[in-house]
Amino acid sequence: MRVVVDLSRCEGYAQCAFLAPDAFRMHGEEALMYDPNPDDARRDQVLRAAAACPVQAILVDRLEGLDVSAEVAPS
């Protein structure tokens, strides 16, 4: 999974840091630091944190593995 935070929209409410402290944390009072590629074990926490953001600054993109064998044309 990939996480992108629009830091120009983020207003430091810290709901994400409260709900998913392993993926989001506040540095000082206003600066958000985050893990752009949290492991799948944190998926539920990260999705809840993104949904709870009051300004919707968090985008979560699921990176699904492609089945390479299905993309190769038969000879």
Side-chain angles (χ1 to χ4, degrees):
M1 135 174 64
R2 180 176 58 191
V3 174
V4 177
V5 177
D6 182 346
L7 296 174
S8 65
R9 288 185 82 170
C10 177
E11 296 194 12
Y13 290 108
Q15 293 300 309
C16 57
F18 176 73
L19 292 169
D22 292 333
F24 303 95
R25 65 188 169 281
M26 296 302 292
H27 183 70
E29 291 184 23
E30 296 181 9
L32 176 69
M33 299 182 75
Y34 67 97
D35 180 357
N37 295 307
D39 60 45
D40 283 338
R42 300 181 193 157
R43 179 180 301 273
D44 289 339
Q45 286 182 341
V46 171
L47 292 174
R48 284 189 198 112
C53 179
V55 295
Q56 299 299 296
I58 303 169
L59 174 66
V60 179
D61 186 21
R62 296 180 188 170
L63 297 177
E64 302 294 333
L66 295 176
D67 184 2
V68 177
S69 62
E71 301 222 357
V72 175
S75 315

